[in-house]
């Protein structure tokens, strides 16, 4: 992230005010708000760029082996930006390890993946050893509240309120699908002859 000369001036002033609190002028407040907005915009843009890079990387990985050169270049850029290689990346690099660049990237990605897994395991074990304060769990539908039957009106067929002119009662299945009638047996020949 790069700051312009004006943004650096505002940043220095904001840091000086943070170290030695003094009343701020309206101009200083507006400058700080503009700087905060610029930083937020840059962070958002970095997130969008990262998402685009990862989507591009996945697209190139899915097009392997024909896109090997582009995939390896994008993977290098993603690793430089702090990307943790995924199992799909390791599998793709194993398939491409015949080339020197792919073999070097495979070694690098294996080290990064192992480091990432160890860090996650360490954070899990540290989290289970000393649990922090937990937020209160909210009840979900289907829990104890569902075990209790809700109170039902005495006459379920009676409407619960005044009906609007356009409202119609729900039809019964027998009204929608009338019962099938059995076909009448064909007339016998004796009746026809008589």
């Amino acid at each position: 992230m790069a700051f312009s000369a004006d943004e650096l001036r505002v940043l220095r002033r904001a840091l000086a005010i943070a170290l030695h609190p003094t009343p701020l002028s309206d101009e200083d407040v507006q400058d700080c708000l503009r700087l905060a907005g610029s930083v937020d915009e840059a962070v958002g843009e970095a997130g969008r760029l990262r998402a685009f890079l990862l989507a591009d990387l996945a697209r190139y990985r899915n097009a392997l082996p024909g896109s090997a050169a582009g995939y390896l270049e994008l993977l290098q850029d993603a690793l430089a930006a702090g990307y943790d290689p995924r199992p799909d990346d390791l599998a793709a690099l194993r398939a491409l390890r015949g080339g020197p660049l792919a073999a070097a990237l495979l070694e690098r990605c294996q080290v990064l993946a192992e480091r990432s897994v160890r860090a996650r395991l360490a954070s899990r074990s540290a989290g289970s050893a000393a649990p922090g304060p937990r937020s209160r769990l909210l009840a979900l539908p289907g829990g104890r509240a569902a075990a209790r039957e809700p109170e039902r009106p005495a006459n379920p067929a009676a409407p619960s309120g005044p009906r609007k002119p356009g409202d119609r009662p729900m039809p019964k299945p027998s009204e929608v699908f009338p019962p099938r009638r059995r076909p009448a047996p064909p007339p016998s020949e004796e009746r026809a002859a008589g």
Side-chain angles (χ1 to χ4, degrees), residues 26 38 93 129 162 168:
D26 289 342
S38 296
L93 287 173
R168 295 184 338 181

Side-chain angles (χ1 to χ4, degrees), residues 3 11 18 22 39 42 66 77 83 87 96 104 116 124 126 131 137-138 155 168 171-172 182 185-186:
F3 291 104
L11 185 60
T22 59
V39 169
D77 292 344
Y83 172 70
L96 297 172
S116 175
R124 274 194 202 150
L137 296 175
L138 301 176
N155 185 0
R168 295 184 338 181
K172 296 178 187 174
R182 290 188 180 172

Side-chain angles (χ1 to χ4, degrees), residues 29-115:
V29 171
Q30 291 303 319
D31 287 344
C32 288
L33 289 175
R34 273 194 295 274
L35 178 63
S38 296
V39 169
D40 289 343
E41 186 179 325
V43 168
E45 185 62 29
R48 285 190 292 277
L49 184 61
R50 179 177 170 81
F52 176 77
L53 177 66
L54 295 181
D56 217 16
L57 182 67
R59 197 173 72 236
Y60 272 77
R61 183 177 51 233
N62 292 336
L64 285 174
S67 63
Y71 171 71
L72 295 175
E73 184 179 329
L74 282 173
L75 183 60
Q76 284 178 321
D77 292 344
L79 292 174
Y83 172 70
D84 280 333
R86 297 197 166 89
D88 293 342
D89 296 311
L90 294 173
L93 287 173
R94 284 186 191 106
L96 297 172
R97 70 177 158 213
L101 178 59
L105 276 174
L106 176 61
E107 287 180 30
R108 182 177 172 196
C109 286
Q110 285 174 333
V111 169
L112 290 173
E114 184 178 336
R115 191 178 303 155

Side-chain angles (χ1 to χ4, degrees), residues 170-179:
M170 180 70 81
K172 296 178 187 174
S174 62
E175 295 171 346
V176 176
F177 305 106

